[in-house]
Structures are given as structure tokens and as C-alpha cells.
Amino acid sequence: MSQPRPIPRLLGSLLLLAAATLSGVVASGLAATPAQAAEPPVRPLGQTVPVPASVVPGGAPFTLTPETRIRTDSSGEVRAIGDRLAEVLRPSTGYALPVTDRPSPGAIRLRLSGKDSALGEEGYRLQSSRGSLTITAHRPAGLFRGVQTLRQLLPSRVEEDTRQPGPWQVAGGTITDSPRFAHRGAMLDVSRHFLTVDQVKRYLDHISLYKINKLHLHLSDDQGWRIAIDSWPRLATYGGSTQVGGGPGGYYTKAQYKEIVRYAAARHVEVVPEIDMPGHTNAALASYAELNCDGVAPPLYTGTAVGFSSLCVPKAVTYDFVDDVIREIAALTPGRYIHIGGDEAHSTSRADYVAFMNRVQPIVATYGKTVIGWHQLTGATPAEGAIAQYWGLDGTSQAEKEQVARAAQNGTRLILSPADRIYLDMKYNKDTELGLSWAGYVEVRRSYDWDPGAYLPGAPASAIAGVEAPLWTETISSNEHIDHMAFPRLPGVAELGWSPAATHDWEDYKVRLAAQGPRMEALGIDYYRSAQVPWPATQ
Ligand code: ACM
């Protein structure tokens, strides 16, 4: 798709000034920031991240006014999406935006359509014209995704939480859109540094704007166990009591975990909990001596080494432990998946690793869930329906790549998380203070400029479930850290997962990404100002 070029900055400012003067907001004293003032008054239809599959511009723009209503179907799920849209738009516009299921001329309309099954689980159609703006979907998730597009078509200052100057217009035309891949994930490592419920919610707010639909929580590792398990309480109370560098760590109570799941579901994001096994288990081994082959609990660990811990594969109690943990987590998790880790088991013999993974996978099935494992799972026997998460890099051995590709040929689907492309904890360049560099430096272009469908030689495109961007937290603990490493790379991963391969074009993408700068600023996201991206001037 060819994207309209942005209006030159000076001309855009003049147009905005003219429009603002006409609508009287200058007189009211409301002023946009310089970066926002550089925005065109009406954003070209389709200038979003991810870019939509189909954009047909045309006709007069839709204008939000003090009288605009949000009309939903009577279903609670659709109503909730309307309420969420109103929550975003009310503070900045200052408009009442009542949500109603009554016919309302000139409304923003959110409607489910039984006829539009071709839109699938997450697709939507957005029709914008002078008289109305309608988003149609087959399923509620599609309406939610369409609402994220609508947000991005409005001026960036719509994301501010204080009153801003209008006008609030959406270019005329029709967008028809649905995702390339069903799995578009983000992972938070809440083990190396514990992240609070509010930090996780904030991340959910931000990733869902870009149509990410899975939040993978890495809930256990050597440095901390982060979820309460009633039948093994010391996992959380002791195993969760520290983190990298020391300090108090933390864990989620069951109620808090459910609150994360609820908050994610309201954004049509599925939570994928991970308990990493049989390696990366020092926090569990420290909490219960009987889980160790020698019956001796090691001390808690606050360093950043990997590969030194293993559950005791021959002991029966190991499988009582695994069964209890998976049963309790499955009961808290409405999503389809449980991630069982399986990476870097350097202290587990190969035979033990295979025996362990092959014994644990059926436990996941017993509790009605589907296995996801890091790609080393393909060295055992992946269960029917299991998904392997590939985290290799260009330098990964040919034999390892071939093992994963063979599993994909045999029906194991793949989530792609190549470390030298979309590990969000990799430094951008040598000057990046945060992060690691074992997979190399990953600038914004590098994280975007690859094709998941053709990435792993020998793996059929049909085996690719999607992409996922992990954020490991050895060096990351605050919202500022998260923002700096995830943004702006995460929107690129979201686009790789959502947009058709035919739209892939760095030159086009970088312009649309640049237009996200003022939006991220309005949302309080302190993103990395990569020199590769032509951000609008801020002063
Ligand atoms: C990993 O980075 N060890 C999955």
C-alpha cells in the first residue's frame, strides 16, 4: 500500500492554527505542544501502527463534537469497549460522550455483525464520513482493535488526560483490517525484577494500543517466584522475597494475578503464564529442600548467571510439585496456554531433560491447557498442539535451527522471538545504558526489518503462530526503564505480527512510527528517540 506523505510541518502548523482559530479554541487559551502542533489537522487514513490491511480514503472527515454519542450494541462486552473508548476521549476533548445503545444520529457506532464472519476473531471495518463513524466486527476483539485504530486516527493530544484544543476529526474513507498472525505477544520477566500490578497494567495499556494480544508473564526464575501457590506457600513467601541485586522482590497474590488477567481481558489480551522448568528454578529449590536431589536447599540468588539450577528429575516429589503448581495456575487462567519454559537447562542431563519435558507436558493437558515451551522443547517430543517459542539468533547453530524447523514440519507451531531482532532488553547501541548485548545491538530498524513468514529456513510459513517480544529484566525495574527499552521497538513487532507482508517497508514504516512520537509523549511513554526515525521536532 502506498502511504500518503505527511503534510510539511510548517504548512501543517498553519493549517492547525487556521482550524483552531475557526473553532475558537485559541480564544479559549488551550494550546497543543509544539510537537503536537506539527501534526496535520486531519491524519491521513491509514497512518497508523500497525498499518491496516486495506485503506480506501475518500469523502469528508468525521468530526467529534460536544454532542457526539458512542452507540454500542446492547451486549455487555460491546458496551465495555464503548466505555473504554469514552474513557480515553473524555478528558482531552472535554466532551460528555455518553455511551448508549439507542439510535443516535452522528454517533461513533460500535457494532457486531453476524454476517461479517470473514473479519474473523480480530478483524474490523472502520467507515468514516461526515455524518457518522462506524466500526463493525464479527467478534468483540475486532471492535476493540478497531477502536485502537480510531484512537490513532485522531490527533495525538487525544491521549492527554487534560483538556486539549480540537478540532477532533477523522479522515473520510473505509479501513478493512485483520491480522496476519493470531499470536502477537509481549513478555514481561517479573522474576529478575518484580513488577507491580500497576506496572503490568500500565504496560497492558500501552501494548494494547498497538494490537498486541498476548501478555506472557515469566513468573518464575532463579531470582524469584512471583505467584502464590496455596499447596506450596514458601514458593512465594520465601522464593519471592528477593530479586536481582537484592531488595524485597515480591509476588502476586491469587487475587492480584486475577486482577491482571481481568485487566488484560478488558483489552482483549490473553495472559500466558510461564513457570520455567526444569532449569531456572533456584527460587523453588531454595524454598523447598525436598525438590533438590541432595535434599539440601541452596540459598536465594540475586545475581544474573543462568544455567546452574535444575529440578530433580528422578524424584517423584518433583511431579507432585509440578502437578500442584500447574493445577493452581490453570485454575486462575482463562487463557488456553501454560508456558513451561525449558530453556537453558544446562544443569540437567540431556536424558533427564527429555524425560522431564515428556512427563510434564501431559500434566498441562490434564488441566485443559496447551503447552508452550522455549524452542529447546523440540529436543524432547513436543506434545500434540504444543507451540515452541524460538529465541535463537543468526549465530545459532545450524543443527539447532534444523531441529526446530523439523518440529515445525511435523506440526509444532512456532512463536518467533529471535533474540537479535526482538529481545527488547538488548541495547540499541554501545551507548545504551540499560540492557544486555549478548545477542548484539538491536536498533529500531533491525527489530522491524525482517519477515516472520520467511525467517527460519525449512519452517513452513503455515507453522508460524506469530511473534513475541520478550522484555527480560536483569537491568530493568522502573517504568522509565520499560518505556526506554520497549518503545519504539515494540510497535514494530506489533506491526510485523499484524500487517500483511506486502505492506512491509522501512521507509514507509519509519514515517508512521515518527507520527507515534507525540502520541507516546501524550501517554507519558518515555521512548528512545532513535536517530533512525524522523521524529517531529519538539521545540
Ligand atoms: C531465554 O532467553 N533464555 C529464553
Side-chain angles (χ1 to χ4, degrees):
M1 199 190 95
S2 88
Q3 288 295 310
R5 297 290 140 192
I7 297 171
R9 189 172 303 138
L10 181 60
L11 179 58
S13 306
L14 291 173
L15 287 173
L16 180 63
L17 188 63
T21 306
L22 283 175
S23 64
V25 292
V26 167
S28 78
L30 294 167
T33 67
Q36 292 163 350
E39 290 194 304
V42 183
R43 185 176 297 274
L45 202 68
Q47 200 196 63
T48 59
V49 176
V51 71
S54 161
V55 178
V56 181
F62 173 77
T63 304
L64 211 59
T65 74
E67 283 73 47
T68 303
R69 292 166 177 262
I70 297 176
R71 183 183 170 197
T72 68
D73 297 348
S74 53
S75 102
E77 255 186 308
V78 178
R79 167 96 199 187
I81 294 166
D83 286 341
R84 173 85 195 106
L85 174 61
E87 275 170 30
V88 172
L89 303 183
R90 280 177 189 142
S92 51
T93 61
Y95 301 161
L97 297 166
V99 180
T100 173
D101 59 8
R102 316 279 309 189
S104 312
I108 296 175
R109 177 146 189 221
L110 306 181
R111 59 182 283 270
L112 289 179
S113 159
K115 286 206 310 278
D116 281 287
S117 57
L119 292 171
E121 275 299 305
E122 295 186 280
Y124 65 92
R125 188 167 53 247
L126 183 153
Q127 293 158 294
S128 170
S129 64
R130 187 193 305 280
S132 64
L133 190 143
T134 301
I135 303 176
T136 306
H138 186 56
R139 302 278 299 142
L143 286 181
F144 187 85
R145 305 296 173 235
V147 161
Q148 306 319 304
T149 298
L150 170 57
R151 282 171 70 177
Q152 292 196 17
L153 293 173
L154 286 162
S156 302
R157 59 190 179 279
V158 83
E159 309 291 349
E160 296 275 359
D161 54 14
T162 55
R163 182 120 181 257
Q164 302 294 315
W168 305 106
Q169 293 191 308
V170 177
T174 299
I175 290 175
T176 309
D177 201 13
S178 56
R180 179 179 181 193
F181 295 110
H183 188 113
R184 304 178 309 281
M187 190 207 83
L188 282 179
D189 169 9
V190 296
S191 179
R192 270 48 176 274
H193 279 99
F194 180 62
L195 300 174
T196 64
V197 173
D198 282 346
Q199 286 180 298
V200 175
K201 285 182 171 178
R202 182 175 182 274
Y203 202 54
L204 277 164
D205 282 341
H206 295 164
I207 67 178
S208 59
L209 172 62
Y210 296 103
K211 302 187 173 72
I212 293 287
N213 69 350
K214 304 279 185 275
L215 177 69
H216 168 183
L217 289 176
H218 183 77
L219 289 167
S220 69
D221 212 302
D222 292 317
Q223 297 85 349
W225 185 284
R226 306 300 182 202
I227 175 84
I229 301 292
D230 295 337
S231 50
W232 297 74
R234 273 175 60 82
L235 290 170
T237 57
Y238 182 69
S241 66
T242 193
Q243 59 187 1
V244 167
Y251 65 89
Y252 307 124
T253 64
K254 287 192 168 180
Q256 287 174 324
Y257 177 83
K258 281 190 196 163
E259 172 60 12
I260 291 172
V261 168
R262 183 203 66 74
Y263 197 86
R267 285 147 186 78
H268 295 270
V269 174
E270 181 176 5
V271 171
V272 178
E274 178 187 355
I275 298 297
D276 200 349
M277 305 178 279
H280 289 280
T281 43
N282 188 76
L285 297 167
S287 303
Y288 288 96
E290 64 263 42
L291 293 176
N292 296 270
C293 281
D294 63 3
V296 178
L300 292 170
Y301 181 68
T302 60
T304 58
V306 298
F308 61 88
S309 57
S310 180
L311 291 173
C312 186
V313 173
K315 269 191 169 177
V317 68
T318 295
Y319 303 94
D320 297 340
F321 162 79
V322 171
D323 194 286
D324 286 338
V325 168
I326 293 195
R327 174 172 40 77
E328 292 196 30
I329 290 178
L332 294 174
T333 304
R336 289 160 283 184
Y337 304 106
I338 292 193
H339 198 308
I340 57 172
D343 59 320
E344 294 177 312
H346 305 321
S347 298
T348 317
S349 72
R350 189 174 146 66
D352 273 0
Y353 180 82
V354 171
F356 179 86
M357 296 308 270
N358 289 352
R359 188 157 169 190
V360 164
Q361 291 180 86
I363 299 174
V364 175
T366 300
Y367 296 111
K369 302 298 181 189
T370 297
V371 166
I372 303 180
W374 296 107
H375 74 255
Q376 284 73 17
L377 173 65
T378 60
T381 312
E384 178 88 33
I387 302 181
Q389 184 167 7
Y390 181 75
W391 62 281
L393 56 162
D394 280 352
T396 294
S397 76
Q398 205 52 34
E400 192 166 332
K401 289 178 182 166
E402 284 169 8
Q403 173 185 294
V404 178
R406 260 197 315 280
Q409 289 156 14
N410 291 331
T412 298
R413 288 186 310 138
L414 303 179
I415 296 165
L416 297 180
S417 302
D420 56 351
R421 296 284 183 178
I422 59 172
Y423 262 32
L424 299 177
D425 59 313
M426 288 302 121
K427 291 177 184 289
Y428 294 97
N429 56 49
K430 68 175 176 33
D431 298 323
T432 310
E433 281 179 25
L434 298 165
L436 307 177
S437 57
W438 59 262
Y441 299 130
V442 182
E443 252 291 358
V444 176
R445 178 171 186 166
R446 182 167 175 80
S447 64
Y448 168 81
D449 230 350
W450 60 287
D451 177 7
Y455 177 73
L456 195 66
S462 60
I464 308 304
V467 290
E468 184 172 299
L471 182 57
W472 300 98
T473 59
E474 284 92 338
T475 66
I476 311 280
S477 56
S478 66
N479 288 339
E480 292 70 28
H481 294 169
I482 294 171
D483 287 0
H484 189 76
M485 299 309 276
F487 295 91
R489 289 181 290 199
L490 186 89
V493 178
E495 173 145 328
L496 287 175
W498 181 280
S499 304
T503 62
H504 190 94
D505 176 9
W506 166 254
E507 295 302 322
D508 179 75
Y509 172 69
K510 75 178 182 188
V511 174
R512 286 181 291 102
L513 179 59
Q516 295 295 312
R519 186 169 307 272
M520 291 190 281
E521 272 170 46
L523 286 164
I525 301 175
D526 190 10
Y527 62 97
Y528 163 61
R529 272 72 171 172
S530 169
Q532 295 184 330
V533 181
W535 308 109
T538 52
Q539 52 196 355

